Amino acid sequence: MDNSRYEIRISGSGGQGIIIAGIILAEAAGIYDGKYVCQTQSYGPEARGGSSKAEVVVSDDPIDYPKAMKPDLLLAMTQKACDAYIFDLKPGGILMVDSTHVKQLPTTRAIALPFTQMARERTGKEMMANIIALGTLVAITGIVSLRSLEAAVMSRVPKGTEELNKKALEAGIEAAKGITDKAQEIGMEFYESIADE
Amino acid sequence: MLLQGNEAIVEGAIAAGCRFFAGYPITPATEISEVMSYRLPAVDGTFIQMEDEIASMGAIIGASLAGTKSMTATSGPGFSLMQENLGFACIAEVPCVIVNVMRGGPSTGIPTQVSQGDVMQARWGTHGDHPIIVLSVSTTQDCFSITVKAFNLAEKYRTPVIILADEVVAHTREKIFLPHPGEVEIIDRIRPNMPPDWYIPYEDTSRGVPPMAAFGEGYRYHVTGLVHDSRGFPTQRPDEVKGLMSRLFRKINQHFFDIQMVEEEATEDAEILTVAYGSVARSARRATREARHRGIKAGMVQLVTLWPFPRQILEPKLRKLRAVLVPELNVGQISREVKRINQGVTRVETLNRIDGNLITPAEILSRLMKM
Amino acid sequence: MAEVTKLIHKYLRHDKKFPHVWCPGCGNGILLGALIRAIDRTHLEKDEIVIVSGIGCSGRLSVYVDFNTLHTTHGRALTFATGVKLANPKLQVIVIMGDGDATAIGGNHFIHAARRNLNLTAIVVNNSIYGMTGGQYSPTTPYGSLATTSLHGNIEQAFSIAELAAMAGASMVSRGTVYHTSLLDELLEKAIHKRGFSVVEVISHCHTQYGRRNKMGNAADMLLWQKKSAVRIEKARTMSDEEMQDKFSIGVLVDRELPVYTQEYRKVREMAKKAMTQMR
């Protein structure tokens, strides 16, 4: 069946920019990379603070089931999201967490970066954590090209914040590079096959 | 182009010629209002946010009578409020389109979660005997093309058409190919061409659908929610009452083959069949493919038209099957219909989920494997 | 031919739908006369006029007049009228409602239509009772009055329809009675000409369901009650609250210029078009 199907779940709490991150990733894949893509979301009634989840399914073929069945990658921006969704992750799938908020990792096979802290330090705005995380996510998985990601980010962010967002993306990509280098050193392989594609 | 289902519904409506929208904010249908509010005025159409859904339904009927294709969109609680004037549109034969993005109910229910609980309400929600056309959508592409189809049927048969979407379809952002304006088939209501004195607004024609004049065109006639004679005036004469009611049903019944639409997947040699609609049809499609992959002779029929129920299409298939599975996000609304037409011919199984989440392909597949 | 016969021939569906459903002596017939006289004075074409009515005795008025007529559901006449007007702003839309129709079941639509200020004419026939269903108390039934659902006297306070419309933002608000017919002709004509939402509250009577039960006599007695109780607004403004006790003012109560919805919406269209071209 559709072997190119790749499922990503981005999760956290309302106000962290979870859904917009999903939309940007979907537009990068669908509009700029020309792939088939489905982006779905679920959210509570709160505009801020409730749980929030976005899923992106990318494929070379038309997509039947629009949601993630067994995510190939889970990005958790809060401890609660990490605890709730870790069991859905595909065996051998990638767990990425924001270590600013996720203090207890359910597995050692995880990419833990302090996205929120990085956002605070590098851009002065915590709300940029989602863009940093997207940069890391794409740099590691290669699910869309970095150029497409940048184009998708630029078309979605408010006018006047382009530079800040570019800076955030770069921070994320840079952090990913550190991780892949380190992984190669210690011989971790689980994401390499994807990064090579 | 990447669009949400709700946005694609707007594009479909505008492509079909919709130039009037009245609505009231409600999750998960609000994006339809939001996009309409800036898309319609840009094409010389009109958007208005009314004080409630009763008013929205009234306004779209008024606009349609004035000659403009019109639409409203809502979810369960608002759909309940619309039932009163929906009946008016049925009896006065006013073309219009109502979108119900289904969410969990009853009452306020689970506003942000998916459901298919309004299938029977769409059929029988307004009081009194009446025919109705109800279509369902399953992909973003459907949201465009089925909305166009809904307007075409509404105009062709002078009837309200309900589109049942659901939270998953409405909020899935997905690739969509929008046809060029010239490539879309658009049907407009038949207008009278006789002198005004000869115009009989509710005349019994062979098609059952009388021509419809717009207010202000010179055909001054009466429109009412009361049972009326062929001139539109209230009547209680049994022959006239029966005449109107029979024609309302006949105009839909005699065009079943035009109205009833399904999509089929691997049905030719299927021994077990899944009958699904809306977002669940996507799960069913994947499950069917996976089942075939495992050598199970599974097929699926996706219902595009829910009402009138596509009996003529489904009935002959049932005779050739070992079993039928009807997965839906309610306790069994379409499965009742399948059982009704099945009349013991084959085994009908149900798969129901009412926890606010979509039935997964895995759930359907595991059932297919046991059948 | 007498003037009245000419008007009947021109404006009524006299060959189709008479006799009407109203009781002998009903105020609705007087209003119907005033309405066609007012319309005749405006020189509008019959094809340009849409009469939208609700449910109740007054709702049947639309059946009898030779315009584009729309007899809607109970309380919802203004919502249908909103759609008609917005779809074709060239049409002159006149809405006829009863007191229960406009201010009970349709109360929400009434205040929002006034607030929205569409160019509509809303005529509310106020006979203080639900007549067609057999005399139940309405939002304008006076405190203490008898009705089939208040056998021991109504314990609710009544709405003042005209004041409600004024507070909700109508451009023009008038009150007349079916006794003061020439004033009523004048008020209706002004309301049709007015740009913006204009309301005419027409004090009428239901001798069958209200007068009989409340010992107010026959139709003629109730017309005389209107004569006695109505005070011209010009005079009413000089009178004290005590003097106005048990009386009501008639005439044009409010006349002001407010932004009209269709005009405002034209701006929305221009801005939306500009925004669209910029997006491309």
Side-chain angles (χ1 to χ4, degrees), chain C residues 175-187:
Chain C
R175 191 189 287 120
T177 78
V178 290
Y179 173 82
H180 303 85
T181 47
S182 53
L183 175 69
L184 188 57
D185 291 9
E186 199 185 300
L187 294 177

Side-chain angles (χ1 to χ4, degrees), chain C residues 128-141:
Chain C
S128 311
I129 202 84
Y130 286 96
M132 189 169 257
T133 47
Q136 299 75 27
Y137 67 84
S138 87
T140 57
T141 303

Side-chain angles (χ1 to χ4, degrees), chain B residues 39 41-42 44-48 51-52 54-55 58-59 62-63 68 84-85 88 216 218 220-225, chain C residues 13 17 47 62-63 66-71 73 76 79-80 83-84 86-87 108-109 112 116 261 265 269 273 276:
Chain B
R39 288 285 281 120
D44 285 320
T46 306
F47 162 88
I48 187 166
E51 53 273 17
D52 57 31
I54 303 171
T68 303
E84 177 197 38
N85 284 338
F88 186 97
R220 295 183 304 277
Y221 70 107
H222 188 60
V223 180
T224 177
Chain C
R13 288 168 171 154
K17 280 331 275 186
D47 288 334
S62 60
V63 175
D66 188 20
F67 304 109
N68 305 283
T69 55
L70 174 54
H71 181 205
T73 43
R76 320 299 176 207
T79 71
F80 286 66
V84 171
L86 288 175
N108 199 27
H109 310 309
H112 286 280
R116 201 170 277 134
Y261 190 94
Y265 200 75
R269 281 185 181 165
K273 280 177 198 164
M276 272 293 162

Side-chain angles (χ1 to χ4, degrees), chain B residues 8 58 73 143 154 166 191 207 212 261 298 332:
Chain B
C143 287
D166 58 55
R191 306 222 174 204
R207 272 182 68 239
M212 182 174 176
M261 298 173 286

